Amino acid sequence: MASSQQVQSPRMQKPTKSDGRFSSASDDSGMTKQIQATHSPDSHEVDVKPILRVIKDVLHRVAPAPAPSVDGVTDQAQGPAAALMDNISSVADMDAILETLAHIINRISCELTCKCSGGADAHTTTTAILNMLSSYSWEAKVVISLAAFTVNYGDFWLLLRLSATDPLAKSVCILKQLPHIKDVGAGSPRFEAISKLIKAILDLTNCIVEFKRLSLQYISSDTPELSTALSLIPTAAYLTISSMVVSSEYLESTAETWELSSWTHKIGTIHDQLQKLLDICYRRIEDKRQEEAFQKLVRLFCEYHRDITEVLNPLINPKNDPWPLRVMDSSNEKTKASIEVLTGKTVLLLISDLDIVKEQREVLADIYKQRASGDHLYEIVWLPVVDGFKVVPLEEDPEKQQKFEEVRWTMPWYTVAKRSLLEAASIRYIKQEWRFSKKPILVAVDPQGKVVCLNALHMVMIWRNRAFPFTAAKEESLWKDERWSLELLVDDIGTRIQDWLKGQDSKSRPKRKRGDTYELIICVELQEGKHICLYGGEDRDWIRKFTTRVKTVAGELGTPIEMIFVGNSKVSGVRLTKIFETINSEQLNKCWEDPTSVWYFWTRLESMWLSKTHSSGSSNRAAGKDSILTEVFTVLSYDSSDQGWAIISLGAEMAREAGDTLKKRFKEFDKWKNDAKTKGLVPALNEEFRKHHATDHHCNRLILPRTDSEILESVVCSVCGRPMEKYLMYRCCNN
């Protein structure tokens, strides 16, 4: 017994310096020729992917601790491994594939175990295996060799595991002179070293296989990166098989493991090279594929179609997801929907980033819900376009994914089911052809898939559902029926707009459809002949003095007046709330207490400017002949300043002014009191304003939002009539 303990199997001997001889051979300039000399492929192709999946499954199961990561999956108990097996082709298909390869896999398995070819070192054995596989492609050589190694590796672990409980397995382990499981189990240096090498082998194998799967429809073999990779793959295949030879030799030995680490480094180095080249090839392929998809979208939106889904599917759902949309149902739950639900309808594509403001969503939601009250057969679909939003699983980008979900849940209309449905070609088309930048847009598409308006948002903000079907012709028609008035300025922001305008001759103004109201302001009963004063600003002290002075003037004239504070587009949040609190607590007048009302007022004005600059003639705009556009400019210039302003209206008559001129005229009321008593408050104010425009200092500025439409060549000052200077302004405000 003692003598038997002194006898060791050759496998228990420390490996010879075969790796050193391999290293010198690999440095030989003729090595590449030697490797190529073993390669004589025929036309037969082997589908290696099913075999590789079985290999991965085995490698996941063999180790008692987490096995090497495969395709981003870490083995935890049986779950992930079982999932891998679920992806494997049917048993019959696998049998058909492996039956043709069983003999060669068995031969290589024996070569790895027994060195049947008499290989004295890793290089000789590797060359023998390559000669056995001479008729196969490079990726097939690697996968078949890895299958043979995996058979041996699986047998090794199966015996070791069973040896703890099965006497038969224990006896076989003794006869095979296998090491004790505690010497090679999880946590041991040998186990860690072999596990790292096997992971490196598997990573490199995957990389080699992926090159074979590249679509030659989008990349040619003479592409520099692919050409370089193809020249490296024979060497990579040689190194991969050599590392299997070395791993097999070390598997059943008690030798030091530093040489395994050296092989892991070699495999890792060439893998990094190939992976970088593969990534570049992927990008080139994806770029060409997206260019093709982009050009397809360009063609589609220029052609006539029978149905809108023929253009929306390629735009929203190029991956053919059966349920690409979600919509709020009657129980306030998001339900699945297909593109086909949009058949026969006009569709407004709401395009924005994740920062679309709450007020915008609230106003649009109110308009959208009221569309059912008329013949408005349209739907809204939200398409989020977010720079830097990678298409990654939720757990890898939780903040943006959570923001996406939060915004989506506030929308009663259709939304994309997931951000990843919008591909690069669609985003490029939206930005390039529809000129989306940062501000939300509503692209109107008719039931035949024709874009009838690149941005109907301005129409919707001004006329709400009256703008249906959102065409340029409809916009022109709506403007023809409008004239500058308090009704146009405020529209249906209040539910008692008719009461505001009791003093205006109803026959002299166009009829407007009612019902599209937005409950935003305090309803007030106004008697006939009552003046309306809309004013804004951000200085609470100015607000106190101005409202007090106006009330005093109105009292002296015996003129009923209702004052309503409409805020400032630049003031929001806490600052706006404090102004509201001051006005209410001191009972200065009425105000819009819902911030959405303030936002909507200024957004409508901005929308008027954008709509007018698109629809009006350029000559009229440049010369200031469009009265509505001139008045819109004026009010926007008030908002751009830091001073208070006011518009006072009685029916069709309106007077407006801002800054020092406004303050001085009311301060000097005694000078024009008699005119006000005889002519009326509004005519007297207008006369005073005109009289002092030439002498009073003024500094008007107009800050307009950036758009991708043309920039006006000339804007006339609303005070003196001279052309305004044009500046470029960059602004950031997180208030």
Side-chain angles (χ1 to χ4, degrees):
M1 189 65 158
S3 60
S4 66
Q5 290 177 343
Q6 296 174 356
V7 178
Q8 290 185 334
S9 165
R11 290 182 184 274
M12 301 294 288
Q13 308 271 340
K14 182 176 181 178
T16 62
K17 294 184 179 179
S18 56
D19 297 305
R21 289 194 293 274
F22 168 77
S23 297
S24 61
S26 65
D27 294 335
D28 188 351
S29 60
M31 176 55 63
T32 301
K33 292 182 179 180
Q34 292 182 36
I35 297 171
Q36 289 285 3
T38 66
H39 188 55
S40 180
D42 56 25
S43 58
H44 179 66
E45 291 286 338
V46 176
D47 184 6
V48 299
K49 293 298 286 186
I51 305 172
L52 194 54
R53 284 196 290 267
V54 177
I55 291 170
K56 293 175 182 179
D57 179 69
V58 172
L59 296 179
H60 268 277
R61 294 174 186 271
V62 292
S69 173
V70 181
D71 289 349
V73 180
T74 301
D75 186 27
Q76 296 292 338
Q78 296 294 323
L84 276 173
M85 286 303 294
D86 289 341
N87 291 325
I88 295 176
S89 305
S90 67
V91 174
D93 292 339
M94 285 302 303
D95 285 345
I97 295 172
L98 292 174
E99 184 178 357
T100 61
L101 299 174
H103 177 66
I104 189 67
I105 290 175
N106 187 58
R107 284 185 63 194
I108 296 172
S109 176
C110 291
E111 186 66 32
L112 290 171
T113 305
C114 307
K115 308 294 189 297
C116 299
S117 299
D121 53 41
H123 171 65
T124 304
T125 304
T126 302
T127 303
I129 292 173
L130 287 174
N131 283 322
M132 293 180 200
L133 297 168
S134 61
S135 63
Y136 293 91
S137 62
W138 289 110
E139 73 277 358
K141 297 178 198 289
V142 175
V143 173
I144 293 171
S145 299
L146 186 55
F149 171 79
T150 302
V151 169
N152 295 343
Y153 191 61
D155 284 345
F156 172 81
W157 274 107
L158 197 59
L159 276 174
L160 284 184
R161 284 185 178 180
L162 291 174
S163 66
T165 56
D166 190 324
L168 175 60
K170 183 176 182 180
S171 297
V172 172
C173 283
I174 293 173
L175 290 174
K176 291 175 68 71
Q177 292 283 284
L178 296 184
H180 195 279
I181 192 169
K182 68 180 181 181
D183 296 324
V184 293
S188 68
R190 298 182 65 245
F191 172 80
E192 296 297 330
I194 289 181
S195 294
K196 289 179 180 179
L197 179 54
I198 290 175
K199 180 186 182 304
I201 291 171
L202 196 54
D203 288 343
L204 182 53
T205 301
N206 279 326
C207 191
I208 293 172
V209 170
E210 285 304 306
F211 274 104
K212 180 67 175 180
R213 288 162 53 86
L214 291 178
S215 175
L216 296 181
Q217 177 184 354
Y218 298 107
I219 192 169
S220 62
S221 57
D222 58 357
T223 301
E225 293 79 15
L226 182 55
S227 176
T228 301
L230 293 177
S231 68
L232 284 174
I233 283 177
T235 301
Y238 175 87
L239 289 174
T240 305
I241 296 173
S242 293
S243 64
M244 297 178 204
V245 174
V246 174
S247 296
S248 299
E249 188 172 351
Y250 274 82
L251 190 62
E252 300 175 10
S253 75
T254 58
E256 298 293 331
T257 59
W258 64 267
E259 290 185 83
L260 289 179
S261 299
S262 174
W263 275 98
T264 302
H265 177 72
K266 292 177 186 178
I267 296 296
T269 299
I270 197 166
H271 169 261
D272 290 344
Q273 289 179 279
L274 286 175
Q275 188 62 52
K276 288 178 181 177
L277 294 169
L278 182 62
D279 290 342
I280 295 173
C281 290
Y282 279 147
R283 287 196 296 271
R284 288 186 179 275
I285 290 173
E286 184 63 12
D287 288 346
K288 289 187 177 181
R289 193 178 72 83
Q290 292 299 331
E291 177 63 27
E292 183 179 276
F294 172 78
Q295 295 300 333
K296 179 181 179 181
L297 287 173
V298 171
R299 290 194 304 273
L300 281 173
F301 278 100
C302 290
E303 298 170 352
Y304 174 81
H305 302 279
R306 291 174 298 176
D307 188 79
I308 191 173
T309 59
E310 295 178 27
V311 296
L312 292 187
N313 260 315
L315 179 72
I316 300 174
N317 189 29
K319 297 178 182 177
N320 296 317
D321 188 316
W323 310 107
L325 302 178
R326 297 290 185 270
V327 68
M328 195 81 73
D329 60 19
S330 57
S331 59
N332 288 330
E333 294 292 333
K334 287 287 185 181
T335 60
K336 297 178 180 179
S338 67
I339 294 290
E340 281 63 37
V341 299
L342 305 174
T343 299
K345 297 180 180 179
T346 293
V347 174
L348 296 178
L349 299 174
L350 174 58
I351 301 169
S352 75
D353 58 17
L354 298 182
D355 294 323
I356 179 172
V357 297
K358 176 177 69 71
E359 293 83 0
Q360 182 97 69
R361 287 176 270 145
E362 289 178 354
V363 172
L364 280 176
D366 184 76
I367 296 170
Y368 177 76
K369 290 173 183 177
Q370 291 177 6
R371 79 199 190 287
S373 62
D375 298 327
H376 305 132
L377 296 177
Y378 75 88
E379 292 292 347
I380 298 178
V381 180
W382 181 47
L383 306 182
V385 175
V386 185
D387 290 332
F389 188 2
K390 298 180 181 179
V391 181
V392 295
L394 173 63
E395 62 273 10
E396 294 183 36
D397 201 349
E399 291 184 8
K400 285 187 177 178
Q401 185 65 26
Q402 182 179 357
K403 183 69 177 293
F404 168 69
E405 294 294 341
E406 289 174 353
V407 172
R408 189 160 66 101
W409 272 98
T410 65
M411 296 177 170
W413 47 77
Y414 291 96
T415 67
V416 290
K418 48 190 176 182
R419 159 66 179 79
S420 58
L421 286 174
L422 283 185
E423 291 197 336
S426 297
I427 293 174
R428 177 188 168 192
Y429 186 87
I430 288 170
K431 290 184 174 183
Q432 186 170 314
E433 300 298 316
W434 292 345
R435 302 195 290 274
F436 170 75
S437 178
K438 170 69 176 177
K439 297 177 73 66
I441 62 174
L442 269 180
V443 178
V445 186
D446 72 10
Q448 287 72 47
K450 179 183 177 182
V451 174
V452 294
C453 184
L454 284 178
N455 191 4
L457 186 59
H458 318 315
M459 271 190 275
V460 172
M461 288 292 102
I462 301 168
W463 296 290
R464 301 169 68 82
N465 285 318
R466 298 193 295 275
F468 181 83
F470 316 109
T471 62
K474 181 66 174 180
E475 185 177 21
E476 292 282 358
S477 173
L478 288 168
W479 274 127
K480 286 179 181 178
D481 293 334
E482 294 290 1
R483 63 184 178 81
W484 182 249
S485 64
L486 191 65
E487 185 181 14
L488 174 62
L489 181 61
V490 181
D491 192 55
D492 291 322
I493 295 181
T495 60
R496 292 298 184 88
I497 188 70
Q498 296 291 348
D499 290 335
W500 288 29
L501 304 170
K502 287 285 187 178
Q504 183 173 350
D505 181 8
S506 60
K507 294 181 181 179
S508 67
R509 55 189 173 87
K511 299 294 184 182
R512 301 169 69 87
K513 292 178 67 176
R514 315 308 304 162
D516 293 334
T517 58
Y518 195 61
E519 306 284 346
L520 294 177
I521 72 165
I522 302 171
C523 299
V524 292
E525 294 288 348
L526 301 174
Q527 296 80 28
E528 185 172 353
K530 178 173 282 192
H531 289 68
I532 312 284
C533 176
L534 301 184
Y535 74 98
E538 53 187 276
D539 186 332
R540 282 181 284 175
D541 186 54
W542 180 90
I543 291 172
R544 289 189 188 96
K545 294 178 180 178
F546 175 72
T547 54
T548 300
R549 189 58 185 162
V550 171
K551 289 177 182 178
T552 300
V553 169
E556 291 190 33
L557 294 175
T559 301
I561 188 167
E562 190 69 43
M563 300 184 69
I564 298 180
F565 177 73
V566 298
N568 183 301
S569 68
K570 303 186 294 296
V571 178
S572 59
V574 176
R575 292 175 63 198
L576 185 61
T577 301
K578 288 182 177 180
I579 295 175
F580 287 161
E581 291 173 351
T582 298
I583 293 173
N584 289 328
S585 63
E586 300 178 17
Q587 297 183 340
L588 300 177
N589 53 259
K590 295 179 176 62
C591 61
W592 287 332
E593 296 189 19
D594 184 350
T596 302
S597 62
V598 176
W599 178 90
Y600 191 20
F601 177 82
W602 293 108
T603 298
R604 284 189 74 253
L605 276 169
E606 181 183 309
S607 296
M608 291 180 199
W609 171 75
L610 292 168
S611 176
K612 271 288 182 180
T613 53
H614 281 80
S615 62
S616 299
S618 58
S619 60
N620 285 345
R621 285 183 278 143
K625 296 178 181 179
D626 189 315
S627 61
I628 293 179
L629 188 58
T630 300
E631 295 297 331
V632 169
F633 276 149
T634 300
V635 181
L636 288 176
S637 69
Y638 294 163
D639 186 53
S640 299
S641 72
D642 299 324
Q643 298 176 313
W645 60 273
I647 297 176
I648 299 176
S649 170
L650 178 64
E653 296 180 312
M654 298 176 70
R656 40 55 171 187
E657 192 52 82
D660 291 338
T661 301
L662 177 64
K663 183 170 60 176
K664 288 179 180 179
R665 298 298 74 79
F666 275 95
K667 188 175 181 180
E668 299 172 355
F669 171 64
D670 289 339
K671 294 181 180 180
W672 53 276
K673 181 191 301 184
N674 292 333
D675 282 346
K677 288 181 178 180
T678 57
K679 299 177 182 177
L681 176 60
V682 174
L685 274 173
N686 277 326
E687 186 173 326
E688 284 296 305
F689 292 153
R690 283 192 294 270
K691 187 188 304 180
H692 292 85
H693 279 167
T695 57
D696 285 354
H697 169 75
H698 71 272
C699 181
N700 274 10
R701 64 175 182 264
L702 179 63
I703 301 175
L704 297 172
R706 175 193 177 275
T707 68
D708 289 321
S709 58
E710 60 177 302
I711 299 174
L712 299 182
E713 290 299 324
S714 176
V715 176
V716 175
C717 176
S718 61
V719 177
C720 62
R722 293 195 298 267
M724 299 178 74
E725 294 181 82
K726 184 165 58 179
Y727 293 87
L728 181 63
M729 175 180 177
Y730 294 92
R731 179 172 182 260
C732 175
C733 180
N734 62 357
N735 182 4

